[in-house]
Amino acid sequence: MKTGLLLPLILVSTLFSPVVPASPAKSQPDTSPPGIALVLAGGGARGLAHVGFLKALEESNIRISAIAGTSMGALMAGLYSCGYSADQLDSLTTGMDWAFLFSSTPEPRMSILPDRIRGRQDIIKLELRGLTPVLPGSAVSNMRIGFLLSSMTGPAQVLKGFSFDSLSIPLRVVSSDLRSRDRVIFSEGELYRYQLASMAIPGIFPPFIHDSLLMVDGGVFDNMPVDVAEKAWPDLPVLAVNVGSANPTEFPDAPSLLTVFGLTFDALSTRVNDHYRREPQWLFTPDLQNSVVWSFEQTDSLISWGYDQGMAWIAEHPDLPRGGEQRQGWHPPDFTVRNILFSGNDNVSMRAIDRWLRISRGDTLNTQVAMVVAENLYASGLFSMIRMSMLPAGNPKLCDLAFELTENDPGTLGFGLSYNNDFGLDARLTVEHRNTFNRGVKTIINTGGGSNYGFLELSSFTNTRDTERYFSMSGSIYQIKGNEPDQEGSNPVRIWTDHSAVLTLGKPFSWYGIVEMAAEWKGRSYVDTDRTDAFPLLSASYMTDTRANPTTNSPGSRVFIKAGWCPQSGHEHTSLQWDTGTIHDLPGSFMLGAYTWGSLLWGDNYRWQESRLTAAHGIPGYRWNSLPTRERVAGMVFASRKVLGPVFLKAESAATYDFSSIEDYRDGDIHWGVGLTCGVNIPGGTAALGPGWNNNGTVRWMFSYGSDYSFGPGR
């Protein structure tokens, strides 16, 4: 296959090359120095020093005629061999969001708002294969690294073929095969795949499976492949750059699990590496000041150390071959997409994929577009892994775009927990099926309960993106035992059941906003009575949430407005609900926010439709359901400051104006309170503790854990 793809590319290159007239003069032999074979060792984040050293080699006119690498060295060597300059690699790595690169969370701007809200409250989530939980295959995803590498190396291979010798600088990449228990040396194929194989640290990144090979980090067997360079390019002297961790001279008295794992891995790989170890003609070992393999926050320093120490080291070695040229860098051209190919989608239909695929035949493809297309497809939630390839198409202006898909396990099992000392513990189990009817339809069953209440929810909705409409059907049953205070001062303990069924047509208008039209059926029945109230409701809602994480107090704005109309004779009424707010970052780790929320009713609603304060937005010093009312307008302002990592302090002031009807809006009551809170943002939401003082002088302590999307009955 590789030869078959390479041959058409060579023919096309030959046909479209400019014709050069033959010269009668004899060609002169090449008298320029042969240059060096550069070997870049692995070392995780320490390998970023390679970028600085490459800059030093370029500025010193050292001629690099071939290059080999392992792990992070393979990543840098591969990009450099494609034609990118050291300055370009510097810009790429310095501006990199490493946390996002290693994350498996979909890019927020690629997914619609409902998908970012659903399931974010879960503390634990396991994949389900049938009814069997499936543990994750690695601690960190390398999918986004694959997107980056394939979109950067793919254009070079579309133009030059799959032989690494045809690249701007000949290349070799080293990985370790667990099946043969030997190293593997790659000289042809899709470069980005073997870069991923070379840097697949066992237990951290997923292993790379190809044909009969089960590949992990090349450093397991050969972290500095000097002999590989010697055998591939016997006429070139070898310069090796060793950025691997130095052997520790001190050991902690109480080592952690990770420390023991790291020391064990280093010890075993060192013994195996000794089998392949060869001494190069020149060896550069920078002092990286005890940085570790995951020190990506030190990117600038690591590059600087590689450059500064490299320039000093080169000055001490005048025997290095000169004659190299300062690279101007390479900017991959645009291609036109000839075909889009898929493999691995055995259960997910093309109809489901098309909803998320934002490219078609005939469109322009470049590095940026390729990454966006891959990210968008991953945001569908239908696939656990996506590999993207740019393939030659027989014309240097065309390329094929191929996706190798690994379908997500069809289901997930999530466990969520929230607590508020007003109504107690709220625990829930969520079972989600991602691909109902093989059409990308999501189905969620959510059940659980807390102190004196239980619930069951079922929803099913189409998986969509951008301008596409989506449909959802949902139903819920809540049974609650508690006080049901009324405006006359009565506070009886009752048991009631709330039930609803909703059919919704929605339209996302951006990554952060949706508009929904719904036909609902709502009702309530009381235990030990024959009383059952039910009514239809036609509603329209508008919601935006620009927070990257909608479950915590993060910068951004939220707007929710819902208007409903009940046409039931005898209980015809209109409702309006809103919950809007904005949060802003300020200098000094401060955050300032403001909310307004409320509910208004016109007409003959049922008495139990009176609104109540919720745990998401309460008045400090008041219980969540102690202020029943038919009409409410409320607001809150708060200021918070980060004090240590995810820990913050918050001061808030809130007030509500409650009245019995629109006609009597002048005869309302004002209730207000102030509160102080110490909180911490942790998985599943925010944990907060603090006192509140209300306008009656009452002090109430409030403890809560969860998000404003997860609290309490009727949430």
Side-chain angles (χ1 to χ4, degrees), residues 273-396:
N273 270 249
D274 287 342
H275 176 72
Y276 296 105
R277 194 177 307 279
R278 298 290 187 275
E279 291 300 322
Q281 279 77 3
W282 299 279
L283 176 64
F284 172 56
T285 304
D287 178 10
L288 303 181
Q289 302 187 16
N290 297 319
S291 59
V292 295
V293 296
W294 211 254
S295 299
F296 289 100
E297 73 282 355
Q298 295 181 279
T299 295
D300 290 348
S301 297
L302 289 163
I303 294 175
S304 177
W305 293 332
Y307 173 78
D308 294 338
Q309 296 177 39
M311 290 295 290
W313 184 87
I314 292 170
E316 297 172 357
H317 293 80
D319 54 332
L320 286 167
R322 264 66 175 181
E325 296 181 356
Q326 184 72 34
R327 281 198 170 194
Q328 301 301 314
W330 182 58
H331 301 278
D334 292 348
F335 299 96
T336 299
V337 177
R338 183 185 69 168
N339 288 312
I340 304 175
L341 311 172
F342 295 92
S343 63
N345 53 314
D346 300 323
N347 297 306
V348 178
S349 68
M350 283 304 304
R351 182 177 178 181
I353 293 175
D354 285 342
R355 295 193 185 110
W356 293 84
L357 190 63
R358 288 293 175 256
I359 195 167
S360 303
R361 295 176 60 184
D363 287 351
T364 299
L365 181 68
N366 54 39
T367 298
Q368 293 76 19
V369 171
M371 292 192 66
V372 170
V373 169
E375 282 283 355
N376 207 95
L377 193 57
Y378 179 62
S380 69
L382 297 171
F383 308 105
S384 60
M385 179 64 70
I386 298 174
R387 298 297 186 202
M388 176 183 63
S389 301
M390 298 172 66
L391 306 175
N395 184 315

Side-chain angles (χ1 to χ4, degrees), residues 27 40 44 271 286 322 336 434 476 622 631 649-650:
S27 60
L40 303 181
R271 294 296 298 271
R322 264 66 175 181
T336 299
R434 300 185 177 99
S476 66
Y622 284 101
E631 319 288 350
L649 297 176
K650 182 171 74 171

Side-chain angles (χ1 to χ4, degrees), residues 86-315:
D87 282 338
Q88 286 178 304
L89 297 183
D90 187 358
S91 298
L92 173 71
T93 53
T94 300
M96 185 67 67
D97 184 347
W98 296 101
F100 177 73
L101 189 67
F102 296 129
S103 168
S104 59
T105 302
E107 161 62 43
R109 293 177 182 270
M110 298 293 183
S111 56
I112 63 175
L113 184 57
D115 285 341
R116 300 207 311 280
I117 296 172
R118 298 181 183 107
R120 291 298 296 271
Q121 309 94 321
D122 291 333
I123 300 175
I124 300 173
K125 180 176 283 190
L126 293 175
E127 300 292 314
L128 285 180
R129 194 169 298 156
L131 296 177
T132 305
V134 181
L135 296 177
S138 63
V140 179
S141 172
N142 65 0
M143 183 177 61
R144 282 200 172 94
I145 304 175
F147 293 166
L148 176 68
L149 294 177
S150 64
S151 62
M152 292 187 69
T153 64
Q157 295 199 287
V158 168
L159 296 174
K160 298 184 178 182
F162 290 107
S163 170
F164 294 174
D165 288 329
S166 67
L167 297 173
S168 175
I169 298 177
L171 169 72
R172 295 295 183 269
V173 171
V174 176
S175 184
S176 302
D177 177 31
L178 295 182
R179 288 176 176 165
S180 65
R181 300 181 182 180
D182 203 352
R183 69 180 181 180
V184 184
I185 303 167
F186 297 104
S187 61
E188 65 174 1
E190 286 189 79
L191 173 55
Y192 88 92
R193 292 180 182 268
Y194 302 131
Q195 288 175 299
L196 293 178
S198 184
M199 60 183 296
I201 302 173
I204 304 299
F205 293 116
F208 197 88
I209 301 173
H210 180 69
D211 294 333
S212 61
L213 304 178
L214 180 62
M215 291 175 283
V216 295
D217 193 286
V220 173
F221 291 147
D222 190 2
N223 196 48
M224 196 168 66
V226 172
D227 70 320
V228 171
E230 291 176 340
K231 293 175 182 177
W233 309 291
D235 297 332
L236 297 177
V238 177
L239 164 59
V241 184
N242 181 18
V243 294
S245 300
N247 292 326
T249 57
E250 297 182 2
F251 296 88
D253 295 330
S256 67
L257 176 65
L258 291 177
T259 301
V260 172
F261 175 81
L263 292 173
T264 303
F265 181 81
D266 286 343
L268 295 176
S269 62
T270 298
R271 294 296 298 271
V272 178
N273 270 249
D274 287 342
H275 176 72
Y276 296 105
R277 194 177 307 279
R278 298 290 187 275
E279 291 300 322
Q281 279 77 3
W282 299 279
L283 176 64
F284 172 56
T285 304
D287 178 10
L288 303 181
Q289 302 187 16
N290 297 319
S291 59
V292 295
V293 296
W294 211 254
S295 299
F296 289 100
E297 73 282 355
Q298 295 181 279
T299 295
D300 290 348
S301 297
L302 289 163
I303 294 175
S304 177
W305 293 332
Y307 173 78
D308 294 338
Q309 296 177 39
M311 290 295 290
W313 184 87
I314 292 170

